[in-house]
Amino acid sequence: METVCKIVDSNVNSQITYAQAVDILNAGEVVAFPTETVYGLGAVATNDEAVKKIFKAKGRPSDNPLIVHIGTKEEVHLYIEYISELAKKCMDVFWPGPLTLVMPVKPNVLAESVTAGLKTVGIRMPDHPVALALLQQIQKPLAAPSANRSGKPSPTEAIHVKDDLEGYIPYIVDGGPTGIGFESTVLDVTHEPPVILRPGGITKEMLESVIGPVIQPSKIEQTMEETPKAPGMKYTHYAPNAPVYLIDCDDQKVQQAIQQLQAQQHKVALLAPASFEHIPTDFYFSIGQTGSKEEMGASLYHALRACDKTDATIILVTATSTEGVGAAIMNRLEKAAGGKWYTR
Ligand code: TXA
Ligand code: MG
């Protein structure tokens, strides 16, 4: 299959691209498009054959449900059986934006494979001009997981989608790099108090200032759960080819680790803030200015993917605190590292 990639920005006539994307989606095919978090791989959420093509292109296990994207807040009533007061508040304040709400799904409206047999569905209104234009032109809900091969870091640029899915999907809408750089917060509002199933750009603190107490299970609580509530979280994720190790954000510790690893014939890729650039290593990728979690979030997946273009045999990533969006960043890094920390 040929994969066409079209840029949309103010310099080109984007109308043709949107029209093509809408036609392809309406014909039951998949299209990759940018959101404010990461690129999504979309299909019309009411077309089961089309949605199945997402799972096939990604190599995604079919028991992992998809997020449904909508172009207006009002549409949520078409797909959701019951919207609590608390959910309404979240939508008022955080939509459009990086917050997915898990709510009871109306039976027989969305394609079966979207919900993977659950009685709930995750739904969000993205805050990105390209995603919103596409949704508003097609006037249908789009099921869209991140547009990566299953297990790889989510794509934050169209080229990442191409690297993973070229030949598997017909069309990519290229809207440039995404802003936030990691996936939305998934909040289950079918529980009281609501539970954060996946931390993201909308933090626990931000949610609590609007709806009161919210539960964010600790890492230990998550691993103890027999059936994870967000089925996707049980799979290996966000991982480059070489093994990843977390390390304290400490100049000396990092230097020492690199020396030890190189003495064992390793080729080391270091992912660390700009202030670590002077440290001798085989490959270095910046994850923003020291202390800026926003920059770290926005550059993380790009940096993890960049390691796959090198012959690094081991990857060291400096950790950050779990304050604010740090919770989401550390959640992704812990997964990329499979929980491994570098200790000598
Ligand atoms: O930012 C994002 O959320 C991106 C963009 C494209 O919107 N999408 C995304 O989708 O990250 P995906 O499929 O890669 O991740 C969806 C997560 C998975 O962990 C899945 O298990 C969980 O949300 N999820 C979806 N529906 C659910 C449901 N009904 N109950 C519990 N978890 C659900
Ligand atoms: Mg994903």
Side-chain angles (χ1 to χ4, degrees):
M1 180 189 291
E2 192 205 352
T3 302
V4 175
C5 186
K6 288 278 181 75
I7 294 173
V8 288
D9 65 24
S10 47
N11 301 317
V12 290
N13 184 351
S14 304
Q15 234 13 38
I16 300 168
T17 303
Y18 286 120
Q20 282 174 342
V22 166
D23 284 349
I24 293 169
L25 288 164
N26 277 329
E29 292 296 331
V30 296
V31 168
F33 61 93
T35 79
E36 80 280 35
T37 57
V38 298
Y39 273 74
L41 182 62
V44 172
T46 49
N47 179 341
D48 202 52
E49 284 308 306
V51 172
K52 285 201 173 105
K53 289 181 186 164
I54 296 178
F55 288 90
K56 193 156 173 242
K58 285 189 53 118
R60 179 177 175 113
S62 61
D63 66 347
N64 190 3
L66 307 180
I67 293 174
V68 172
H69 296 68
I70 52 176
T72 61
K73 290 186 193 180
E74 293 68 40
E75 269 169 83
V76 73
H77 298 276
L78 301 174
Y79 316 113
I80 301 301
E81 183 102 302
Y82 167 71
I83 304 169
S84 67
E85 283 308 311
L86 201 138
K88 279 184 199 145
K89 273 193 199 164
C90 288
M91 287 182 238
D92 279 346
V93 177
F94 299 113
W95 281 7
L99 177 67
T100 297
L101 296 171
V102 171
M103 294 184 281
V105 66
K106 263 193 189 164
N108 308 321
V109 184
L110 296 170
E112 237 182 274
S113 18
V114 169
T115 54
L118 299 174
K119 292 200 160 49
T120 54
V121 67
I123 193 160
R124 83 178 188 100
M125 180 182 175
D127 187 14
H128 190 286
V130 175
L132 287 174
L134 190 59
L135 285 161
Q136 283 157 11
Q137 293 197 25
I138 192 164
Q139 298 201 340
K140 289 175 185 168
L142 293 177
S146 48
N148 50 285
R149 286 287 295 174
S150 222
K152 285 282 152 196
S154 296
T156 54
E157 293 172 37
I159 187 73
H160 301 159
V161 181
K162 220 170 156 194
D163 282 347
D164 276 18
L165 298 177
E166 177 142 50
Y168 293 94
I169 63 171
Y171 209 75
I172 303 170
V173 182
D174 180 350
T178 60
I180 294 173
F182 50 90
E183 309 78 358
S184 63
T185 305
V186 178
L187 184 71
D188 186 348
V189 289
T190 66
H191 289 263
E192 259 309 342
V195 182
I196 294 177
L197 301 181
R198 179 177 72 183
I202 304 295
T203 62
K204 180 174 192 270
E205 296 82 355
M206 288 160 82
L207 290 166
E208 288 189 329
S209 73
V210 174
I211 55 170
V214 165
I215 295 170
Q216 178 155 276
S218 68
K219 219 173 67 197
I220 296 162
E221 283 163 339
Q222 282 171 19
T223 20
M224 298 231 325
E225 251 174 52
E226 260 172 46
T227 30
K229 293 205 183 67
M233 300 312 275
K234 71 174 179 254
Y235 296 106
T236 315
H237 263 89
Y238 322 117
N241 296 330
V244 177
Y245 286 81
L246 280 158
I247 187 162
D248 288 333
C249 196
D250 174 295
D251 216 279
Q252 264 202 325
K253 279 193 193 169
V254 169
Q255 294 215 33
Q256 212 178 36
I258 293 171
Q259 281 164 11
Q260 285 165 355
L261 288 165
Q262 286 179 333
Q264 297 161 32
Q265 311 310 318
H266 270 298
K267 288 211 164 159
V268 184
L270 173 65
L271 273 55
S275 58
F276 286 69
E277 199 177 351
H278 69 278
I279 294 179
T281 180
D282 297 292
F283 307 97
Y284 166 77
F285 298 103
S286 167
I287 46 176
Q289 294 307 311
T290 310
S292 168
K293 291 204 169 87
E294 281 67 30
E295 287 185 21
M296 188 172 179
S299 56
L300 195 60
Y301 286 159
H302 178 91
L304 285 170
R305 279 179 174 266
C307 294
D308 281 349
K309 308 258 184 210
T310 71
D311 57 357
T313 57
I314 194 161
I315 301 167
L316 292 178
V317 190
T318 54
T320 186
S321 80
T322 54
E323 299 265 295
V325 291
I329 292 171
M330 284 308 291
N331 167 274
R332 305 311 191 272
L333 281 179
E334 291 270 2
K335 289 220 154 55
K340 300 187 299 293
W341 282 73
Y342 185 83
T343 45
R344 66 171 230 113

